[in-house]
Amino acid sequence: QVQLVESGGGSVQSGGSLRLSCVASGYTYSIGYMGWFRQAPGKEREGVAGIDRDGTTTYGDSVKGRFTISQDNAKITLYLQMNSLKPEDTAMYYCAALKRRYSGGYYLAALAYQGPDNYWGQGTQVTVSS
């Protein structure tokens, strides 16, 4: 089992910045891929950013050039630096991970799928005002 705990959400004006953090604990060896997805009211869950065990990153089209995902050397803490925030970024942001055994591909999108091969945090709210 793995536990993921997010922090760093809040309210900011358009153009502002926030940094989200996610601390992983438990059997972290089971994790093969980590990242963030978000969900706004009435909308589908959307993969935001992901990082594999080699440090290769992937971003959703809507956040490329504005968001940066990173991880500490021990791979315990995950970060999401969010710059140039827009009102359409308003959502609940979730830290998520895929188990090593996951083999379905589409890793970033798979973070948002609730199933036996993933872990989710509790979420942290990000609100961007115009």
Side-chain angles (χ1 to χ4, degrees):
Q1 65 179 170
V2 170
Q3 295 79 46
L4 304 173
V5 180
E6 306 99 325
S7 62
S11 298
V12 65
Q13 292 185 341
S14 294
S17 298
L18 287 172
R19 189 177 76 159
L20 307 183
S21 299
C22 171
V23 178
S25 62
Y27 189 46
T28 57
Y29 179 81
S30 68
I31 296 173
Y33 190 82
M34 295 190 71
W36 301 83
F37 70 90
R38 65 188 182 186
Q39 186 170 31
K43 297 183 179 179
E44 295 183 347
R45 294 184 292 272
E46 175 189 19
V48 175
I51 185 168
D52 67 16
R53 296 184 68 84
D54 293 326
T56 301
T57 58
T58 302
Y59 297 93
D61 290 340
S62 64
V63 306
K64 288 179 180 177
R66 300 188 297 121
F67 291 9
T68 303
I69 189 171
S70 61
Q71 194 171 43
D72 70 333
N73 291 335
K75 295 182 171 58
I76 294 175
T77 306
L78 188 72
Y79 302 97
L80 184 68
Q81 179 66 46
M82 304 184 293
N83 298 326
S84 301
L85 283 162
K86 305 174 181 179
E88 49 264 45
D89 295 317
T90 295
M92 185 73 75
Y93 283 70
Y94 296 86
C95 179
L98 299 174
K99 296 178 180 178
R100 289 176 181 263
R101 71 186 186 189
Y102 175 75
S103 60
Y106 303 98
Y107 296 106
L108 180 58
L111 291 172
Y113 174 73
Q114 188 175 32
D117 292 332
N118 67 5
Y119 304 102
W120 284 2
Q122 82 286 354
T124 185
Q125 178 68 39
V126 172
T127 302
V128 184
S129 60
S130 60

